[in-house]
Amino acid sequence: MRGRPDRDPGTAPRRIVLIGPMAAGKSTIGSRLAAALGLTVVDTDQEFERRHGPISGVFASLGENFFREAEARIVAKALTREGVVVSLGGGAVLDAGTQQLLADEFVVYLETDAETVRPFITRDRRRPLLAENPVEAWERVYDRRRSTYERLATVTVDVTRASSRRPEAVVERIRALLDDDAAAQRGAGAETDQQTRATSRPQ
Ligand code: S3P
């Protein structure tokens, strides 16, 4: 299963990575989840802005390609750190190298819809891709990326308005999924132990 290939049985993932469309709440959930688990949060958009300044200005002056290349490097570096929750910008998953790296990560996809994010994007000056007709632009971009999010996800968490999208509730759901994952890992470990005992038993 995705995000679980080279872990020792029963151990927690080295990192938790949040993906999903713009305004799904990745930054908020990332910092709340990190606080709840005693981990450090790395927000790749914030890292980018620390180094290069506001994303919208960089899109305007240096172009989206510059942003994407820098973003891919920041993501790759973040994915070398241990004990972190990494929140990715919504488009970071488009990069082929990032997709490869995510195959080995515990990836939480925050799934949402236009009705839920509408209040957060209608007067958004921070997101260059939503500068005009933000709701339609958001839907168009999400439609194009949805299958990529689904493919990369280890687990999917519904953060639509219809579900309980309070940050505390979302964090609790992610913690429960992590517990399930740890239990599944222990189960897999026990199976491997049994197989080892079976094959090493004296004939
Ligand atoms: C983008 C999402 C933004 C930011 C940039 C581009 C995208 O991050 O990285 O504006 O392509 O979806 P959020 O997902 O945090 O809004």
Side-chain angles (χ1 to χ4, degrees):
M1 193 175 285
R2 295 197 72 80
R4 294 162 183 161
D6 56 0
R7 293 216 342 246
D8 290 332
T11 58
R14 289 161 300 185
R15 287 170 290 275
I16 301 161
V17 184
L18 301 184
I19 63 169
M22 290 177 267
K26 300 179 296 291
S27 300
T28 306
I29 300 302
S31 41
R32 298 285 190 110
L33 182 65
L37 298 174
L39 304 176
T40 304
V41 68
V42 181
D43 183 308
T44 60
D45 282 344
Q46 281 174 16
E47 288 287 314
F48 179 91
E49 293 200 327
R50 245 177 359 99
R51 288 172 205 199
H52 303 284
I55 291 171
S56 50
V58 170
F59 262 63
S61 58
L62 298 169
E64 182 170 350
N65 280 349
F66 175 89
F67 170 77
R68 295 295 172 204
E69 282 168 18
E71 179 181 48
R73 284 195 297 273
I74 288 167
V75 172
K77 180 131 186 269
L79 297 182
T80 62
R81 296 181 59 180
E82 306 243 336
V84 286
V85 175
V86 185
S87 315
L88 301 191
V93 297
L94 300 175
D95 182 79
T98 297
Q99 292 184 9
Q100 265 179 10
L101 293 175
L102 291 181
D104 288 334
E105 300 293 332
F106 190 92
V107 178
V108 180
Y109 163 33
L110 300 184
E111 183 178 37
T112 189
D113 60 19
E115 279 321 299
T116 305
V117 301
R118 182 187 296 272
F120 307 106
I121 62 173
T122 39
R123 272 180 297 279
D124 193 332
R125 295 192 197 289
R126 279 189 34 247
R127 296 186 173 97
L129 298 183
L130 305 182
E132 276 166 47
N133 301 325
V135 178
E136 294 88 87
W138 184 91
E139 284 181 312
R140 201 172 48 245
V141 171
Y142 193 13
D143 280 351
R144 278 205 303 267
R145 296 176 181 168
R146 192 184 289 273
S147 61
T148 305
Y149 294 133
E150 288 170 356
R151 181 164 56 79
L152 296 173
T154 312
V155 295
T156 298
V157 177
D158 177 3
V159 291
T160 53
R161 241 177 14 175
S163 75
S164 175
R165 75 182 296 272
R166 279 184 313 111
E168 307 77 51
V170 175
V171 165
E172 276 321 302
R173 275 187 278 154
I174 297 174
R175 289 185 78 158
L177 290 164
L178 283 163
D179 287 346
D180 291 351
D181 176 68
Q185 289 285 321
R186 279 194 295 276
E191 236 167 66
T192 314
D193 285 352
Q194 260 171 18
Q195 276 164 13
T196 313
R197 275 198 297 277
T199 48
S200 63
R201 200 181 298 135
Q203 299 296 309

